[in-house]
Amino acid sequence: DVRVNIFGDAVFAAAVETHVAEAALDWRMDLTATWREHHLPDSVAAPLKQLLADLGLQYGCIDMRQQPGGEYTFFEVNPSGQFLFVEIDTGQPLVRALAVELARQGVTANAILPGWIKSDMTAGIMANEKFVAHVMPRIPMRRFGEPSDFGGIAAYPMSKASAYHTADCFVIAGV
Protein backbone atom coordinates (compact mmCIF):
# COMPACT_ATOMS: atom_id res chain seq x y z
CA ASP A 1 0.00 0.00 0.00
CA VAL A 2 1.04 3.59 -0.59
CA ARG A 3 0.25 6.59 1.60
CA VAL A 4 0.41 9.95 -0.15
CA ASN A 5 0.60 13.13 1.95
CA ILE A 6 -0.08 16.37 0.10
CA PHE A 7 0.54 19.75 1.71
CA GLY A 8 -0.37 22.52 -0.74
CA ASP A 9 1.84 21.71 -3.75
CA ALA A 10 4.23 19.40 -1.88
CA VAL A 11 3.63 15.68 -2.49
CA PHE A 12 5.22 12.89 -0.46
CA ALA A 13 4.59 9.19 -1.05
CA ALA A 14 5.63 6.22 1.07
CA ALA A 15 5.09 2.49 0.66
CA VAL A 16 4.50 0.19 3.60
CA GLU A 17 6.18 -3.14 4.19
CA THR A 18 4.18 -5.46 6.40
CA HIS A 19 5.36 -8.57 8.20
CA VAL A 20 2.17 -10.40 9.22
CA ALA A 21 -0.51 -12.07 7.11
CA GLU A 22 -3.31 -10.17 8.88
CA ALA A 23 -2.03 -6.97 7.28
CA ALA A 24 -2.81 -8.08 3.72
CA LEU A 25 -6.09 -6.15 3.84
CA ASP A 26 -5.08 -3.41 6.28
CA TRP A 27 -1.47 -2.49 7.10
CA ARG A 28 -2.60 -1.06 10.45
CA MET A 29 -2.95 -4.65 11.69
CA ASP A 30 0.87 -4.90 11.72
CA LEU A 31 2.45 -2.87 14.50
CA THR A 32 5.87 -3.80 13.10
CA ALA A 33 5.14 -2.36 9.63
CA THR A 34 7.87 -0.17 8.17
CA TRP A 35 7.73 2.61 5.58
CA ARG A 36 10.05 3.61 2.76
CA GLU A 37 9.96 6.50 0.33
CA HIS A 38 7.99 5.72 -2.81
CA HIS A 39 8.29 7.38 -6.21
CA LEU A 40 4.83 8.49 -7.26
CA PRO A 41 4.54 9.26 -10.98
CA ASP A 42 3.42 12.79 -11.89
CA SER A 43 0.55 11.20 -13.82
CA VAL A 44 -0.79 9.99 -10.44
CA ALA A 45 0.27 12.94 -8.26
CA ALA A 46 -1.31 15.63 -10.47
CA PRO A 47 -4.88 14.25 -10.31
CA LEU A 48 -4.53 13.79 -6.54
CA LYS A 49 -3.51 17.45 -6.15
CA GLN A 50 -6.49 18.43 -8.31
CA LEU A 51 -8.78 16.31 -6.14
CA LEU A 52 -7.65 18.20 -3.04
CA ALA A 53 -8.14 21.52 -4.83
CA ASP A 54 -11.65 20.47 -5.89
CA LEU A 55 -12.41 19.53 -2.27
CA GLY A 56 -11.01 22.84 -1.00
CA LEU A 57 -8.29 21.10 1.02
CA GLN A 58 -4.73 22.32 1.63
CA TYR A 59 -3.79 18.95 3.15
CA GLY A 60 -4.83 15.42 2.39
CA CYS A 61 -3.64 12.00 3.43
CA ILE A 62 -4.43 9.59 0.61
CA ASP A 63 -4.28 5.81 0.83
CA MET A 64 -3.78 3.81 -2.34
CA ARG A 65 -2.67 0.38 -3.45
CA GLN A 66 -0.25 -0.19 -6.30
CA GLN A 67 -1.35 -3.22 -8.30
CA PRO A 68 1.17 -5.78 -9.67
CA GLY A 69 0.85 -4.17 -13.12
CA GLY A 70 1.84 -0.77 -11.70
CA GLU A 71 -1.57 0.93 -11.76
CA TYR A 72 -2.85 2.60 -8.59
CA THR A 73 -6.17 2.01 -6.84
CA PHE A 74 -7.52 4.92 -4.79
CA PHE A 75 -8.96 4.06 -1.35
CA GLU A 76 -9.61 7.34 0.43
CA VAL A 77 -8.54 10.88 1.20
CA ASN A 78 -8.45 11.89 4.84
CA PRO A 79 -8.23 15.64 5.60
CA SER A 80 -6.77 14.90 9.04
CA GLY A 81 -4.76 11.74 8.43
CA GLN A 82 -1.85 10.67 10.56
CA PHE A 83 1.63 10.88 9.09
CA LEU A 84 4.29 11.19 11.81
CA PHE A 85 5.09 7.46 11.73
CA VAL A 86 5.89 7.85 8.03
CA GLU A 87 8.27 10.74 8.76
CA ILE A 88 10.06 8.67 11.40
CA ASP A 89 10.70 5.74 9.01
CA THR A 90 11.36 7.67 5.78
CA GLY A 91 12.85 10.98 6.92
CA GLN A 92 10.44 12.79 4.60
CA PRO A 93 9.99 16.40 5.87
CA LEU A 94 6.24 16.12 6.46
CA VAL A 95 6.03 18.33 9.55
CA ARG A 96 8.10 20.97 7.73
CA ALA A 97 5.69 20.86 4.78
CA LEU A 98 2.75 21.25 7.18
CA ALA A 99 4.53 24.09 9.00
CA VAL A 100 5.09 25.97 5.72
CA GLU A 101 1.37 25.82 4.97
CA LEU A 102 0.41 26.91 8.49
CA ALA A 103 3.05 29.65 8.78
CA ARG A 104 1.30 31.54 6.00
CA GLN A 105 -1.63 31.82 8.42
CA GLY A 106 0.50 32.81 11.43
CA VAL A 107 0.43 29.35 13.04
CA THR A 108 3.54 27.50 14.22
CA ALA A 109 3.80 23.73 13.88
CA ASN A 110 6.30 21.58 15.71
CA ALA A 111 6.02 17.89 16.51
CA ILE A 112 7.19 15.48 19.13
CA LEU A 113 7.88 12.13 17.49
CA PRO A 114 7.90 9.53 20.27
CA GLY A 115 9.16 6.06 19.67
CA TRP A 116 7.70 3.09 21.49
CA ILE A 117 6.77 4.41 24.93
CA LYS A 118 5.74 2.20 27.86
CA SER A 119 2.16 2.93 28.86
CA ASP A 120 -1.09 1.18 29.66
CA MET A 121 -1.93 1.45 25.96
CA THR A 122 1.26 -0.32 24.81
CA ALA A 123 1.58 -2.84 27.68
CA GLY A 124 -0.05 -5.67 25.74
CA ILE A 125 2.10 -5.42 22.64
CA MET A 126 5.28 -4.89 24.67
CA ALA A 127 4.56 -8.17 26.47
CA ASN A 128 4.67 -9.97 23.11
CA GLU A 129 8.16 -11.51 22.77
CA LYS A 130 7.93 -11.72 18.97
CA PHE A 131 7.08 -8.02 18.73
CA VAL A 132 9.92 -7.03 21.09
CA ALA A 133 12.40 -9.21 19.15
CA HIS A 134 11.41 -7.45 15.91
CA VAL A 135 11.29 -3.86 17.20
CA MET A 136 14.11 -3.67 19.76
CA PRO A 137 16.94 -3.95 17.17
CA ARG A 138 15.53 -0.81 15.52
CA ILE A 139 15.99 1.19 18.76
CA PRO A 140 19.65 2.22 19.20
CA MET A 141 19.30 2.68 22.99
CA ARG A 142 17.85 -0.87 23.17
CA ARG A 143 15.02 0.07 25.53
CA PHE A 144 11.47 1.29 25.28
CA GLY A 145 10.85 4.87 26.32
CA GLU A 146 9.19 6.06 29.48
CA PRO A 147 6.69 8.95 29.63
CA SER A 148 9.28 10.93 31.58
CA ASP A 149 11.62 10.73 28.56
CA PHE A 150 9.60 13.25 26.60
CA GLY A 151 7.47 15.08 29.13
CA GLY A 152 9.97 17.92 29.57
CA ILE A 153 10.32 18.72 25.88
CA ALA A 154 6.53 18.98 25.54
CA ALA A 155 6.49 22.19 27.61
CA TYR A 156 8.70 24.12 25.17
CA PRO A 157 6.45 24.15 22.04
CA MET A 158 3.54 25.23 24.24
CA SER A 159 5.45 28.17 25.76
CA LYS A 160 5.99 31.71 24.50
CA ALA A 161 9.68 30.83 24.17
CA SER A 162 8.82 28.98 20.95
CA ALA A 163 6.73 31.76 19.35
CA TYR A 164 9.15 32.10 16.39
CA HIS A 165 10.11 28.41 16.24
CA THR A 166 8.32 26.31 13.64
CA ALA A 167 8.80 23.30 11.37
CA ASP A 168 10.78 21.24 13.85
CA CYS A 169 10.52 17.61 14.88
CA PHE A 170 11.72 16.54 18.30
CA VAL A 171 12.46 12.83 17.91
CA ILE A 172 12.28 11.12 21.29
CA ALA A 173 12.78 7.54 20.16
CA GLY A 174 16.03 6.27 21.62
CA VAL A 175 17.92 7.41 18.50
Side-chain angles (χ1 to χ4, degrees):
D1 289 351
V2 176
R3 175 158 279 198
V4 181
N5 287 287
I6 301 177
F7 304 86
D9 288 326
V11 179
F12 302 90
V16 66
E17 179 181 331
T18 58
H19 308 100
V20 298
E22 296 85 4
L25 291 176
D26 186 347
W27 58 263
R28 293 172 295 187
M29 302 306 295
D30 184 357
L31 294 176
T32 65
T34 53
W35 294 83
R36 60 179 166 70
E37 194 166 347
H38 177 79
H39 172 73
L40 191 68
D42 289 339
S43 61
V44 176
L48 294 176
K49 287 169 53 175
Q50 185 60 53
L51 172 64
L52 292 188
D54 292 347
L55 293 171
L57 299 174
Q58 293 297 310
Y59 167 72
C61 176
I62 298 163
D63 287 326
M64 306 180 80
R65 177 163 289 163
Q66 187 174 21
Q67 302 299 329
E71 62 277 0
Y72 290 84
T73 301
F74 175 90
F75 289 147
E76 68 173 340
V77 59
N78 187 332
S80 60
Q82 297 180 15
F83 58 83
L84 294 179
F85 57 92
V86 174
E87 181 158 337
I88 290 171
D89 278 4
T90 66
Q92 293 175 320
L94 305 178
V95 170
R96 177 174 268 309
L98 173 63
V100 167
E101 288 301 311
L102 292 175
R104 295 179 177 132
Q105 299 171 35
V107 177
T108 61
N110 296 293
I112 297 172
L113 306 180
W116 286 101
I117 306 298
K118 291 180 184 177
S119 70
D120 291 343
M121 185 177 77
T122 60
I125 193 68
M126 288 184 179
N128 181 312
E129 291 180 16
K130 185 176 178 182
F131 170 80
V132 172
H134 182 81
V135 171
M136 195 58 68
R138 295 171 49 197
I139 304 172
M141 293 184 82
R142 299 297 189 260
R143 71 174 179 85
F144 292 119
E146 301 282 345
S148 60
D149 290 330
F150 66 95
I153 193 67
Y156 170 70
M158 301 301 294
S159 73
K160 291 186 186 274
S162 70
Y164 197 61
H165 187 167
T166 194
D168 209 349
C169 293
F170 303 98
V171 179
I172 312 297
V175 179

